[in-house]
Amino acid sequence: MHSKIILENIKIYAFHGVLPEETILGTNYIINAELHADLEKASQSDDLSDTINYAEINDIIHQEMSIPSRLLEHVIGRIISKLEIAFPQLSFIKIKLTKTRPPMRGEMQGVSIEMEKQIS
């Protein structure tokens, strides 16, 4: 069975960026996570131990977002690594991280980096 767990539009205030003011002032970030795993057993058992606890996914994302990084790619890489270790049953991870107020000219809703990993 092909199953997905999707956490949508998690809003976190954090302090990532190359410019000094980004690490001092911070800004809001939006994170979307998509994880694939076979959850058929949970669909039959109704037992939390047969699935992936999405509250734990959320905790990992919040923990990694609290560690300042210069690059969003680095933040995503850490999140993917932690999720892969915590949940060996995952077959795919996709993380999209959006900085809502990047220090650039022009009006925009944000700038995003999206990374995905197929796990064998």
Side-chain angles (χ1 to χ4, degrees):
M1 175 182 281
H2 184 75
S3 310
K4 296 179 185 180
I5 297 172
I6 301 171
L7 282 74
E8 298 181 272
N9 299 325
I10 304 166
K11 188 175 182 180
I12 300 175
Y13 200 86
F15 300 87
H16 307 299
V18 174
L19 301 176
E21 57 269 23
E22 292 179 289
T23 60
I24 295 168
L25 301 174
T27 193
N28 285 309
Y29 292 82
I30 304 294
I31 301 161
N32 290 274
E34 178 180 321
L35 301 95
H36 298 192
D38 184 350
L39 303 178
E40 184 172 11
K41 188 173 180 183
S43 73
Q44 303 298 317
S45 71
D46 197 27
D47 187 337
L48 181 60
S49 67
D50 291 333
T51 191
I52 296 172
N53 185 335
Y54 48 79
E56 292 178 19
I57 296 168
N58 187 53
D59 287 344
I60 289 170
I61 290 169
H62 275 81
Q63 289 166 8
E64 293 306 315
M65 284 296 292
S66 72
I67 303 168
S69 288
R70 292 169 43 91
L71 301 178
L72 299 182
E73 294 88 339
H74 188 251
V75 180
I76 295 172
R78 289 196 326 263
I79 292 169
I80 289 173
S81 293
K82 291 288 173 92
L83 291 171
E84 191 175 358
I85 291 166
F87 308 106
Q89 64 272 49
L90 291 174
S91 60
F92 176 82
I93 303 170
K94 178 167 66 173
I95 304 292
K96 178 181 175 185
L97 178 55
T98 302
K99 182 182 281 194
T100 60
R101 284 181 275 142
M104 300 186 303
R105 292 187 328 190
E107 196 171 315
M108 66 181 77
Q109 290 186 358
V111 63
S112 300
I113 301 291
E114 184 175 273
M115 298 173 78
E116 54 186 61
K117 183 173 184 181
Q118 188 75 42
I119 303 164
S120 46

